[in-house]
């Protein structure tokens, strides 16, 4: 076996030779961010199960301490040293594929995609324009509405009280760039919201409450096409009729799958995508939220991870 450090000009030819058994390709290593978070933990469990080599980073020093030499601490995504630190650790540890798993990191990472490429690191992430849409729930609703995709009626707060009176209730307020079900309040009538409206500026949205069943769709998008599109039905929600799912089961639902595939295409997604979908009173699916990453429940849809690992050259 000869190890070469030359840049491979035609990776397809080498892959063919490897498939025929003439050469052996060095196995790639993955680096996962937010390794202590729900999506990061799911990915690491799967890679361990498959015996695939990876390292993890997290801003929490306690997470880094769990596996010395395998998990490392990095600055917060808002810190200007964040990207540099991830690149340094990846190079030092020989990791050449980055899987970001924390929402706050997506924009800083996508903005510096060239720095990663220069360091020989492939990043499994959607384009910056897609991420910007997903990171802002107001922009998500407005963009999809323009593309003819069903979304809840949505209003930016910090508006006139008369707009709230006219809005229609029940409705809920949530932060435009929240996550993990944080900061959500449900209002049955406009007077309840008007009583405390000063608490909400335009970093919050008011959204029509969609009252039906809820689904988590896990997709893998390749060249604009949803090549993996798996629906999980949320059997139990944290606050009864809304909130994080504490139970999910895989199901088939053509209407939900179709909405998810159209959404992925409309926003120009690439790679792993996770969506929250709910059905309205008429049973029509409505798109609530898009996370441009693997979802916390991705172990229930391993097809997404298999496709991701295959595309990234790890299996
Ligand atoms: N418009 C809505 N109608 C009904 N439930 C909603 C609506 N928006 C959010 N929820 C509930 O709140 C949960 C969290 O909201 P979501 O938009 O997914 O934000 P995040 O997961 O980023 O906190 C959803 O899974 C759902 O149960
Ligand atoms: Mg959500």
């Amino acid at each position: 076996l000869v190890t070469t450090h030359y840049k491979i000009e035609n990776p397809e030819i080498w892959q063919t030779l490897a498939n025929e058994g003439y050469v052996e390709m060095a196995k790639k290593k993955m680096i996962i961010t937010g390794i202590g978070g729900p999506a990061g933990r799911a990915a690491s469990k799967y890679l361990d199960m498959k015996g695939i080599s990876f390292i993890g980073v997290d801003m929490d020093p306690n997470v880094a301490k769990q596996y010395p030499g395998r998990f490392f601490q990095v600055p917060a995504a808002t810190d200007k040293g964040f990207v540099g630190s991830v690149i340094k650790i990846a190079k030092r540890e020989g990791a050449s594929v980055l899987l970001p798993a924390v929402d706050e990191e997506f924009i800083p990472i996508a903005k510096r995609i060239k720095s990663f490429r220069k360091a020989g690191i492939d990043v499994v992430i959607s384009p910056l324009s897609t991420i910007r849409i997903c990171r802002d729930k107001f922009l998500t609703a407005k963009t999809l509405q323009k593309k003819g995709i069903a979304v809840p009626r949505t209003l930016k707060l910090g508006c006139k009280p008369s707009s709230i009176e006219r809005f229609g209730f029940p409705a809920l307020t949530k932060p435009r760039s929240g996550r993990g079900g944080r900061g959500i309040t449900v209002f049955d009538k406009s007077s309840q919201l008007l009583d405390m409206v000063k608490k909400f500026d335009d970093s919050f949205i008011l959204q029509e409450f969609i009252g039906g069943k809820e689904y988590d769709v896990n997709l893998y998008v390749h060249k604009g096409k949803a090549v993996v599109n798996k629906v999980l039905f949320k059997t139990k929600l944290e606050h009864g009729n809304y909130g994080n799912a504490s139970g999910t089961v895989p199901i088939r639902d053509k209407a939900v799958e179709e909405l998810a595939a159209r959404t992925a295409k409309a926003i120009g997604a690439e790679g792993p995508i996770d969506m929250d979908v709910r059905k309205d009173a008429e049973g029509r699916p409505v798109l609530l939220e898009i996370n441009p990453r693997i979802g916390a429940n991705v172990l229930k849809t391993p097809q997404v991870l298999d496709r991701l690992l295959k595309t990234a050259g790890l299996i």
Side-chain angles (χ1 to χ4, degrees):
L1 174 69
V2 180
T3 308
T4 168
H5 294 286
Y6 293 112
K7 195 165 170 241
I8 295 177
E9 296 291 348
N10 295 304
E12 315 79 42
I13 294 172
W14 286 96
Q15 191 60 58
T16 310
L17 292 170
N19 294 346
E20 304 278 324
Y22 292 111
V23 295
E24 195 176 296
M25 307 270 276
K27 289 262 187 310
K28 284 188 186 171
K29 196 192 254 186
M30 184 172 259
I31 173 167
I32 304 168
T33 70
I35 199 73
R41 281 203 308 271
S44 71
K45 204 165 166 187
Y46 195 71
L47 266 62
D48 268 342
M49 234 158 62
K50 294 256 160 181
I52 297 165
S53 153
F54 72 97
I55 56 166
V57 295
D58 203 291
M59 65 179 276
D60 183 346
N62 294 318
V63 171
K65 274 188 218 142
Q66 279 170 10
Y67 290 99
R70 194 183 188 200
F71 291 180
F72 306 93
Q73 191 187 357
V74 287
T78 44
D79 191 298
K80 62 180 188 320
F82 166 72
V83 166
S85 171
V86 173
I87 292 178
K88 197 170 142 201
I89 294 169
K91 283 181 88 169
R92 188 188 71 209
E93 303 295 324
S96 60
V97 180
L98 171 70
L99 179 64
V102 178
D103 298 3
E104 286 81 357
E105 297 172 351
F106 297 152
I107 290 179
I109 289 176
K111 275 185 173 168
R112 298 278 302 279
I113 221 79
K114 280 192 186 139
S115 308
F116 284 102
R117 278 208 196 111
K118 234 160 100 194
I121 302 164
D122 291 332
V123 187
V124 184
I125 200 169
S126 279
L128 181 60
S129 54
T130 306
I131 291 163
R132 285 198 201 281
I133 297 169
C134 304
R135 288 288 296 134
D136 178 347
K137 291 177 169 88
F138 183 70
L139 202 53
T140 303
K142 291 295 145 192
T143 306
L144 295 180
Q145 188 192 23
K146 268 190 218 145
K147 305 256 182 185
I149 290 170
V151 287
R153 259 180 319 108
T154 302
L155 181 73
K156 215 190 292 176
L157 282 173
C159 56
K160 288 195 218 101
S162 57
S163 310
I164 294 174
E165 273 160 10
R166 270 187 272 122
F167 190 75
F169 284 72
L172 57 79
T173 55
K174 60 181 175 182
R176 277 164 74 176
S177 58
R179 69 173 163 103
R182 284 175 215 146
I184 296 180
T185 318
V186 179
F187 295 94
D188 291 325
K189 39 185 194 262
S190 61
S191 57
Q192 293 170 340
L193 174 57
L194 287 168
D195 279 348
M196 53 189 285
V197 77
K198 287 208 170 65
K199 275 180 75 174
F200 301 104
D201 57 18
D202 68 358
S203 68
F204 278 82
I205 53 172
L206 177 64
Q207 196 160 69
E208 167 189 6
F209 189 89
I210 307 294
K213 292 184 170 135
E214 190 167 324
Y215 307 85
D216 172 22
V217 195
N218 289 253
L219 304 112
Y220 192 89
V221 185
H222 185 66
K223 298 192 174 146
K225 196 165 175 278
V227 290
V228 180
N229 186 345
K230 298 285 169 191
V231 181
L232 298 172
F233 169 57
K234 302 191 184 182
T235 53
K236 206 165 174 221
L237 303 176
E238 202 180 333
H239 303 286
N241 61 347
Y242 76 97
N244 277 351
S246 39
T248 56
V249 286
I251 58 153
R252 284 298 307 269
D253 188 310
K254 275 242 160 353
V256 174
E257 283 164 29
E258 202 216 350
L259 180 84
R262 280 174 50 223
T263 300
K265 201 167 176 182
I267 61 166
E270 259 312 294
I273 302 285
D274 168 60
M275 295 177 189
D276 290 321
V277 173
R278 244 179 139 139
K279 284 195 179 160
D280 65 13
E282 280 78 46
R284 281 182 306 238
V286 176
L287 204 294
L288 295 188
E289 190 210 9
I290 315 163
N291 293 308
R293 56 165 166 78
I294 54 166
N297 302 310
V298 72
L299 289 174
K300 295 251 175 89
T301 60
Q303 301 88 342
V304 171
L305 292 166
D306 289 339
R307 186 67 195 230
L308 189 161
L309 294 170
K310 201 163 166 224
T311 310
L314 277 102
I315 52 172

